[in-house]
Amino acid sequence: MSDVKNLRQMSEVELRSALEDAKTELFNLRFQRAAGKLENTSRMRVVRKQVARINTLLRERELAAAAVQQEDKNA
């Protein structure tokens, strides 16, 4: 759970950078698996979940910004 707390404290730029890093790591893990050199198969699951968490946080922020913008429009 502390991972989510750390992610929530990051700025959008930091989140996008972390997302890019996680996607790169996931690509490398998939490449290692295809080559038969992947030793820690559970790491793929961890990284996939990390990508999903970051995407979820980015979407939450996007929706919150849209809600604020809609309220300003209606006011």
Side-chain angles (χ1 to χ4, degrees):
M1 271 309 200
S2 65
D3 185 40
V4 176
K5 287 181 184 179
N6 291 338
L7 289 174
R8 286 195 184 277
Q9 293 175 354
M10 290 182 171
S11 70
E12 185 173 343
V13 173
E14 291 171 325
L15 280 174
R16 292 200 184 278
S17 175
L19 179 62
E20 185 178 327
D21 293 344
K23 284 184 176 184
T24 301
E25 182 180 357
L26 187 57
F27 173 79
N28 290 333
L29 289 170
R30 286 179 177 149
F31 194 87
Q32 287 175 15
R33 182 182 65 184
K37 303 211 183 245
L38 183 62
E39 294 178 9
N40 185 3
T41 57
S42 65
R43 182 69 184 152
M44 288 186 69
R45 182 178 178 177
V46 170
V47 176
R48 271 198 329 263
K49 287 188 175 201
Q50 185 178 14
V51 168
R53 282 186 193 105
I54 294 170
N55 280 328
T56 300
L57 288 172
L58 288 170
R59 181 68 177 148
E60 283 177 357
R61 291 179 183 188
E62 181 182 320
L63 291 174
V68 168
Q69 189 176 27
Q70 186 66 27
E71 285 178 11
D72 289 345
K73 212 180 234 187
N74 291 336

